[in-house]
Amino acid sequence: MDDIVRLISGEWVSTVLTALYGKPLQYSELLSVISREMTVNNWSAGARVLHEATLTRTLRRLVLAGLVERIESPGALRRSVCYALTASAEELLAALGPAAKWAEQHAGLIERAQRRHARGNRAAP
């Protein structure tokens, strides 16, 4: 379990993986999808903004981890680059589906824990 958490930890990792689920996207499309979804669906990312440099670092990390594939296609004027989930990443997201459902069912618990963490308080063991 710790290995999985380390693999998908990071500020924007789950957001990028979710945005790529089911469809390859070019860099600008990916940035647009994430920005739009954060606004429309009020994702847990809240008021944060995904900057291009952060997206670039996150994609590079996910490609190195084998979760995202960088696909280059030569074009007449310039090459086109898309990003897509690898089969392993799709399997991982499918396996995490029950965890996401658990998070929805226990949203109050998660919110309380986030508030305690933000205040720097620790719950008694």
Side-chain angles (χ1 to χ4, degrees), residues 15-25 84-85 89-94:
T15 303
V16 170
L17 292 175
T18 302
L20 287 173
Y21 190 72
K23 60 197 170 299
L25 296 171
L85 295 180
E90 289 183 4
E91 289 176 32
L92 176 60
L93 290 179

Side-chain angles (χ1 to χ4, degrees), residues 75-117:
L77 299 174
R78 62 184 177 134
R79 73 175 189 262
S80 173
V81 177
C82 284
Y83 294 90
L85 295 180
T86 62
S88 296
E90 289 183 4
E91 289 176 32
L92 176 60
L93 290 179
L96 290 173
K101 186 172 183 161
W102 179 91
E104 287 176 11
Q105 293 171 341
H106 295 87
L109 179 143
I110 292 169
E111 289 171 15
R112 288 189 301 276
Q114 288 172 337
R115 282 195 302 270
R116 281 193 304 268
H117 179 74

Side-chain angles (χ1 to χ4, degrees), residues 7-28:
L7 182 65
I8 62 172
S9 68
E11 188 175 10
W12 292 97
V13 170
S14 63
T15 303
V16 170
L17 292 175
T18 302
L20 287 173
Y21 190 72
K23 60 197 170 299
L25 296 171
Q26 292 182 340
Y27 182 92
S28 59

Side-chain angles (χ1 to χ4, degrees), residues 36-110:
R36 184 174 54 249
E37 288 297 319
M38 286 173 50
T39 303
V40 171
N41 294 326
N42 194 22
W43 279 8
S44 62
R48 296 179 307 159
V49 175
L50 176 57
H51 298 283
E52 289 183 24
T54 303
L55 178 57
T56 298
R57 280 192 307 273
T58 303
L59 285 168
R60 190 173 296 131
R61 177 177 172 222
L62 292 170
V63 168
L64 288 172
L67 295 175
V68 170
E69 182 179 10
R70 185 178 189 274
I71 306 163
E72 286 189 44
S73 303
L77 299 174
R78 62 184 177 134
R79 73 175 189 262
S80 173
V81 177
C82 284
Y83 294 90
L85 295 180
T86 62
S88 296
E90 289 183 4
E91 289 176 32
L92 176 60
L93 290 179
L96 290 173
K101 186 172 183 161
W102 179 91
E104 287 176 11
Q105 293 171 341
H106 295 87
L109 179 143
I110 292 169

